[in-house]
Amino acid sequence: MNPLDLSQYPAEPFKIKAVEPVAVISKEMREKAMAEAGYNTFNLRSEDCYIDLLTDSGTNAMSDQQWAGIMIGDEAYAGSRNWLYLESTIKELMGFAHVVPTHQGRGAENILSTIAIKPGQYVAGNMYFTTTRYHQERNGGIFVDIIRDEAHDAGLNVPFKGNIDLKKLENLIKEKGAENIAYICLAVTVNLAGGQPVSMENMRAVREITKKHGVKVFYDATRCVENAYFIKEQEEGYQNKSIKEIVHEMFSYSDGATMSGKKDCITNIGGFLALNDDELFGKAKEIVVVFEGMPSYGGMTGRDMQAMAVGLRESVQDEYIEYRVKQVRYLGNLLLAEKIPIIEPIGGHAVFLDARRFCPHLKQEQFPAQSLAASLYMDSGVRSMERGIVSAGRDPKTGENHMPKLETVRLTIPRRVYTYKHMDVVADSVVRLYKHKEDIRPLKFVYEPKQLRFFTARFAYAD
C-alpha cells in the first residue's frame, strides 16, 4: 500500500553504517506475549517487538560523530570538558544564562517544580504531560489547561493547534491573581495533542501578557526543533530563516526551559534545566546535588554529555529536521489515504490513532486505546502506546478517572532508526485492524498503580 507521491518526501540525509537485526515472532507467540504482559505494551520484551514505536525517547540512532564523542568522554567528577561543551552548546543555541544538567527530562521537571511552585499555586499549560503534571501536583501545584479548544478535536485540521488560548490566560491571571500563579508551562510541541506546534506569534503574545503581570514562562523544550520546523514551514516571515535562528528566537520569549535530551538531542539518555534567573539557578544547583549529581554532570556520564551536545547541534540542521518531520507525515498520509481516523494535522514525532472513532463500539471506560494498542501488536508485532484515559489517571481528590477528550494510540517514530518501508508495514497493519475493528474487545484493570498507572498497569479482557 503506497498511494503517495514519494517525490514530496526527502530521502534519508545519512548513510547506514551499522544495523541491528530484528525478528518477527509468530502471531501465536505475540498473542501469548501480550497476555503475559497484561495487555500493556510497556510490559512487553523489546526482543518480541518487530517495529518498536512505543516512544521516541532515548530510542534514537546516534551519528558517527556522536559515537566518536563517546570515545572522548571525560569522566571527571567535576569540571568535565564534556560538560563545558554541552553547556556552551545550549547557551549558544538557546540563549539561556544558566544550565543545570539532569539524567533526563523528568529530573529537570522535578527540580523546576520544587524551586518554582508554592503549595496552592496554579501552573497553567497548553495541555498536560503525564510526568510534568505529576511533578507539579506533587509539589502542591494546581494544573490548569489553557490550550486552545481546537486542540481537543482530533479531526480538526488547523495549524498551530498547540497554541495557548490568550483569553484563557488573561482570565486565569484576572481570576486567580498573578501572585497565585507559579508559572506558565508552554510545551513546544504539545505531545498529547498529537505533536502539535506553537506559533512564534503565540509565544510572543504569551510573553507580553506574562511580563506585564510578572508571571514567569518556562518551556517544555523536549521537541523544540520539530516545533521550529513547523514555524519555518507554516508561519509567515520565517521561510527564509534557518532552524537555528528560529530556535534561538523561540527561547527569547521564555524565562527558562526543561528538556529531555532523549528526543531532539538525538541521544539515549540525558536532559537539562535552563534558566535566566540567578536566584532560581542557585536553588537548582543545590537541588540537583540531592537528586541527580554534581552541577557539572547531573546524573550523566561525560561521554553522554558529549553525545548530547553533538546531537543537539545536528538536530538544528535544516535537512535533518525536514526529513524527520516528513517521515512522520508519510505514515500519517498513508493512513489518511485509507480513511483511518487520526489526529490532524499530523504532528512532528508521532501519528496518533483516534481510538474514539476507530473503536466506536467501545466506551471510554472500556479503554479503547489500550485495547487498540494491544491488538496492533498482536496483528503485526508493532509496539505503540496508549495516550487516553489510562494515561490521564485519576483525580487525586475524587478518585474518579480523568476523562480526556482525546483517546489515542501513539505511533511514535524514533529518529534515524526506521525506513519508509517500515512505515508501509505499520500502515498495512493499522488498515487491517480497521477493517475488523469490531473485533477489538473491551479491557478492565487487574492491577492499577496509584501513580502514573499507564507504565505498569495490567489488564484483562472484560468480556
Side-chain angles (χ1 to χ4, degrees), residues 54-57 106 109 126-132 147 151 161-162 186-198 220 222-223 226-227 263 343 345 347-352 385-387 391 406 408-412 415 454:
L54 183 72
T55 182
D56 62 329
S57 178
R106 67 196 60 178
E109 292 170 354
N126 51 343
M127 200 172 284
Y128 78 98
F129 184 67
T130 50
T131 58
T132 313
I147 201 169
K161 283 172 76 173
L186 179 62
V188 287
T189 58
V190 184
N191 188 351
L192 295 187
Q196 303 301 321
V198 179
D220 178 346
T222 295
R223 298 180 180 89
E226 293 171 10
N227 199 106
K263 284 84 167 178
I343 289 184
H349 72 292
V351 176
F352 288 69
M385 181 193 295
E386 185 270 359
R387 300 272 75 168
S391 294
L406 294 177
T408 67
V409 171
R410 191 181 76 178
L411 306 172
T412 331
R415 293 161 187 80
F454 64 94

Side-chain angles (χ1 to χ4, degrees), residues 2 75 80 114 120 135 146 157 192 210 227 229 239 294 296 315 376:
N2 189 355
E75 306 306 337
S80 163
T114 301
H135 285 299
I146 55 172
N157 191 335
L192 295 187
T210 54
N227 199 106
Y229 179 79
Q239 282 70 33
M294 285 288 288
S296 59
S315 74
L376 178 63

Side-chain angles (χ1 to χ4, degrees), residues 178-246:
E179 71 279 5
N180 295 315
I181 298 174
Y183 57 87
I184 307 302
C185 182
L186 179 62
V188 287
T189 58
V190 184
N191 188 351
L192 295 187
Q196 303 301 321
V198 179
S199 70
M200 194 76 81
E201 179 184 27
N202 190 250
M203 295 181 212
R204 195 180 299 116
V206 169
R207 172 78 287 179
E208 290 174 358
I209 293 170
T210 54
K211 188 174 183 179
K212 181 172 60 176
H213 294 281
V215 176
K216 291 188 181 297
V217 180
F218 294 105
Y219 287 7
D220 178 346
T222 295
R223 298 180 180 89
C224 60
V225 184
E226 293 171 10
N227 199 106
Y229 179 79
F230 285 110
I231 290 173
K232 181 179 177 68
E233 183 185 56
Q234 300 175 19
E235 191 164 358
E236 186 177 355
Y238 288 92
Q239 282 70 33
N240 295 323
K241 289 186 177 293
S242 69
I243 294 296
K244 185 176 179 180
E245 289 173 322
I246 295 171

Side-chain angles (χ1 to χ4, degrees), residues 315-359:
S315 74
V316 296
Q317 295 171 357
D318 289 42
E319 62 274 12
Y320 155 74
I321 193 60
E322 180 186 13
Y323 161 76
R324 160 63 177 166
V325 172
K326 287 187 176 179
Q327 186 189 40
V328 175
R329 192 174 295 170
Y330 173 80
L331 173 59
N333 283 334
L334 280 177
L335 298 178
L336 287 174
E338 296 292 328
K339 312 299 184 187
I340 306 297
I342 65 173
I343 289 184
E344 296 182 68
I346 301 161
H349 72 292
V351 176
F352 288 69
L353 304 178
D354 183 359
R356 285 184 183 275
R357 289 181 288 160
F358 203 108
C359 305

